[in-house]
Structure formats: C-alpha cells, structure tokens
C-alpha cells in the first residue's frame, strides 16, 4: 500500500510569499562556447519562480538539439558568455515554490512541462501540467518540448481525422511524438527515418520510408499520390522535394530549415502559435492512456556530456534524458 506523502515544509497557501534559498544547488553549465566537453555539473545560484511560474525539484530533464546548438555558440551572434550559462528547456519534478498569481498547483505536486535552465537540481517552469502517476519521470520530462512542438505544427497543418501527412524525421524526439499525436487525432502518418529506425516507425504506427535521395517518390508511392501536409522535423530534405508532395507549399511546415520560407513553406519557432498548456494536457492524457509511448535513454547529470554527444550525432531514437 502506498504511504501518504510526507507534509512539505512550505504549505501551498504560503508558497507564493516564500522565497526559499537553497544552500547548495547544482546545474549543468558552461563558461565558454564549445562542444559537450566544456560542460560541467557544478554549483549554481538557486533559481526562483517569478510571477506565473513554479519551481520544481527536478527528477528528470530532457536534452534537446537546441541545447548543443546554444552551447556551440552558433546562436550567440559573436558574443562570449560573460558569466556561467545554463541549459535545458523541459523537465519533470516536484513543485517546491509557487510564483505570484499561480493557482491550481501546490508545493509537493508532481508535474512536467517547459521551462528554462532545466538541466539542474532545481528549475523554473513557465508551463506545466500534472504528471500522471503511471508515467515515469524520464518519460514526462521528455514530453515537454516535443509535445508542444508537435501540437503546434500539427495544428498549423490543420491535421485532422482521415488526413494523410508526411513527417520527415519521425524517429527522433519531436518526430516520434508528432507521429503518435497525429495518429491519435485520426491521421494516417507516413514518416521517414534511417534504415535502423524503420521498424521503430512501424511500432509507433507510421508507414516508414527511408530518408535521403528520392524520399518524395517513396512518400508518393506510400500515399498513392500527394499528402495533406508535411511536417519537416529534421530540416535535411531539400524543401522543393517536400513542397512537391502537397497542393500548396504552405502545407509544409519546417521547424529546422529556416530557409524553407523561400520556397513558400512555413517555418515555425513557437511564439504566438504556441499553446503549451493545452498541448501538455493532451500529451499527459495520451501518455496515461498508453497512446503515446516515448522511448527514453537516461543518463545521470554527471554524464551529460555523453548524452549531448549522442544528440549531436543526429540519430537519436526517442529522447535522451538526464536524471539526478
Ligand atoms: N523550431 C522549433 O520550435 C523546434 C522545436 C524543437 C526542435 N526543433 C529542431 O528540430 C530538429 C529535430 O529535433 P529533435 O529533437 O526531433 O531531434 P533528434 O531527437 O536529434 O532527432 C533527429 C532525427 O532526425 C532524423 N534524421 C537524420 N537525418 C535525416 C535526414 N536526412 N532526413 C530526415 N530525417 C533525418 C534522425 O533519424 P534516424 O535516427 O533514423 O537517422 C533522428 O530521428 C532539431 O534541429 C531541433 O533543433 C525545432
């Protein structure tokens, strides 16, 4: 029998007025741009929940390609980091501080969602939902960015019951979640992956095709003609090949090829198109019902360098997740 949870020292109704300083917290960090070898797992200032935010004691935080893109300095516009920089955009954990104006969540609740600097012992989330009790911490942590991104692009494509879509890069973090959400919404999904992931795509319900030269022909053969929309996850296929698959170029949405707009496709980076809470709510429900299965590979925070190297390699199946 499950024993009742121990009372938390900071009751929910007082949490918004308490700024609890933690004596020693650790976070993944870097002070110079570079490869994963510049990362260290070291002490850091304790973060606090601002208005509309919560702080969690992190039980798991996922690795997204954006982490090593930021780390590389490719997105720094030539600036050098003046002080330690932190990484991570999603996590799962136990609420330990509730920011001003936040309702419906209390200290001690188990949640997952999206935030900043989440690859740490404590992190601040800006959007979250309750973690279903049956869902592992690592799986919940893996669902934040991938779930929000998938929901956003499938909505932009207007994917609904009976549509046929092509997901280019269907076996990775975003792709595998997008495949399963699209199927849950009643779509038929054709997805691409390398040879090693063809069976995996089949397992999650997609019709697999190999990416690379001739991919558009293989998709047409699988679909019996054009498709209703293309979700370009990997950003590797020439955009003209992708637009040849749809009636209107705008029915191609890319999250990784920022030049795709030149060919009439749409590029999505979030912003106003994002509705994180709704997306996370749907994802939590699909996870709890077993309609969404996320394959995770976990690494202790101290071994984050290995996870970053695998992510950089570009052939992740499912998600890489860091755990304390
Ligand atoms: N704009 C946004 O809002 C947003 C949000 C999230 C992510 N992203 C970006 O989206 C991209 C994917 O993210 P992710 O988390 O899914 O990455 P990931 O987990 O590393 O997965 C990458 C996937 O790409 C596939 N792939 C490799 N070469 C390919 C090719 N030539 N054609 C098609 N697929 C290929 C791989 O399949 P195999 O393993 O079978 O080779 C792998 O499954 C990254 O660039 C990321 O930064 C953008």
């Amino acid at each position: 029998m499950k024993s009742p949870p121990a009372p938390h020292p900071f009751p929910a109704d007082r949490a918004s007025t308490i700024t609890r300083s933690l004596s020693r917290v650790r976070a993944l960090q870097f002070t110079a741009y570079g490869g994963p070898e510049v990362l260290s797992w070291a002490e850091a200032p304790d973060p606090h929940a601002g208005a509309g935010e919560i702080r969690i004691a992190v039980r798991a935080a996922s690795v997204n390609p954006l982490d090593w893109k930021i780390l590389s300095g490719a997105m720094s516009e030539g600036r050098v980091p003046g002080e330690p920089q932190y990484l991570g955009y999603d996590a799962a954990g136990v609420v330990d501080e509730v920011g001003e104006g936040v309702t419906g969540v209390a200290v001690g609740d188990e949640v997952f969602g999206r935030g900043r600097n989440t690859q740490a012992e404590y992190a601040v989330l800006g959007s979250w939902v309750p973690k279903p009790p049956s869902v592992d911490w690592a799986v919940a942590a893996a669902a934040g960015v991938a779930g929000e991104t998938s929901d956003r692009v499938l909505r932009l494509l207007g994917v609904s019951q009976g549509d046929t879509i092509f997901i280019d890069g269907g076996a990775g973090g975003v792709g595998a979640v997008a495949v399963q959400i699209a199927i849950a919404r009643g779509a038929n999904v054709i997805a691409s992956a390398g040879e090693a992931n063809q069976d995996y795509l089949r397992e999650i319900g997609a019709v697999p095709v190999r990416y690379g030269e001739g991919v558009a022909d293989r998709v047409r053969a699988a679909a019996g003609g054009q498709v209703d929309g293309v979700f370009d996850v990997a950003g590797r296929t020439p955009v003209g090949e992708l637009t040849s698959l749809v009636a209107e170029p705008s029915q191609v949405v890319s999250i990784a090829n920022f030049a795709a707009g030149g060919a009439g496709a749409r590029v999505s980076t979030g912003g106003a198109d994002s509705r994180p809470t709704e997306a996370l709510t749907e994802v939590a429900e699909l996870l709890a019902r077993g309609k969404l299965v996320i394959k995770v590979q976990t690494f202790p925070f101290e071994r984050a360098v290995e996870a970053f190297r695998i992510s950089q390699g570009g052939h992740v199946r499912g998600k890489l997740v860091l755990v304390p």
Side-chain angles (χ1 to χ4, degrees):
M1 206 174 76
K2 233 176 155 183
S3 54
H8 196 280
F10 299 99
D13 59 349
R14 286 186 56 211
S16 63
T17 58
I18 290 172
T19 301
R20 182 158 80 103
S21 283
L22 303 160
S23 54
R24 182 174 169 274
V25 298
R26 284 174 300 174
L28 200 65
Q29 54 195 277
F30 62 96
T31 52
Y33 292 118
E37 68 284 351
V38 306
L39 288 169
S40 65
W41 175 243
E43 286 187 27
D46 52 343
H48 288 289
E53 298 176 328
I54 57 171
R55 181 175 71 185
I56 59 169
V58 173
R59 294 294 176 83
S62 99
V63 175
N64 290 286
L66 185 57
D67 293 311
W68 50 260
K69 290 180 188 178
I70 300 267
L71 177 66
S72 74
M75 301 172 84
S76 70
E77 294 171 343
R79 288 188 300 270
V80 293
E83 48 192 36
Q85 304 288 307
Y86 307 97
L87 295 164
Y89 299 91
D90 51 12
V94 180
V95 177
D96 108 311
E97 188 179 277
V98 178
E100 207 181 311
V102 174
T103 56
V105 66
V107 167
D109 286 358
E110 299 184 347
V111 299
F112 72 97
R114 296 188 329 151
R116 59 175 189 270
N117 305 340
T118 57
Q119 292 165 355
E121 287 176 329
Y122 290 83
V124 169
L125 298 185
S127 49
W128 62 87
V129 293
K131 182 186 81 63
S134 61
V135 175
D136 284 354
W137 289 110
V139 170
V145 168
E148 183 281 323
T149 307
S150 298
D151 166 71
R152 172 171 19 108
V153 175
L154 295 174
R155 253 184 315 109
L156 287 172
L157 289 171
V159 172
S160 61
Q161 183 75 34
D163 286 347
T164 297
I165 62 162
F166 172 49
I167 298 181
D168 198 16
V174 174
V177 170
V179 164
Q180 295 172 82
I181 294 180
I183 290 171
R185 292 181 185 180
N188 306 302
V189 179
I190 300 163
S192 74
E195 196 55 50
N197 280 324
Q198 297 289 298
D199 283 344
Y200 173 57
L201 287 180
R202 231 172 257 122
E203 242 174 68
I204 59 175
V207 174
V209 294
R210 267 182 309 101
Y211 53 60
E213 206 181 328
V215 65
D217 290 335
R218 290 189 285 281
V219 174
R220 266 186 289 272
Q226 286 196 312
V227 295
D228 298 301
V230 173
F231 184 171
D232 175 22
V233 178
R236 307 276 192 98
T237 303
V239 68
E241 277 205 49
L242 300 179
T243 55
S244 78
L245 286 167
V246 287
E248 288 292 330
S250 61
Q251 275 305 92
V252 174
V253 176
S254 182
I255 59 166
N257 177 358
F258 298 106
R266 287 178 285 171
V267 175
S268 176
T269 54
D273 293 324
S274 182
R275 50 164 209 185
T277 307
E278 289 89 336
L280 295 173
T281 302
E282 179 179 0
V283 160
E285 200 234 337
L286 292 175
L287 286 170
R289 287 169 49 215
K291 298 282 177 196
L292 170 59
V293 175
I294 306 178
K295 215 176 253 292
V296 294
Q297 196 181 344
T298 58
F299 296 79
F301 275 117
E302 288 86 348
R303 287 174 55 187
V305 171
E306 289 167 54
F308 271 60
R309 288 216 168 96
I310 295 171
S311 179
Q312 257 183 327
H315 299 288
V316 175
R317 181 182 299 175
K319 288 285 295 187
L320 303 163
V321 177
L322 306 176
V323 292

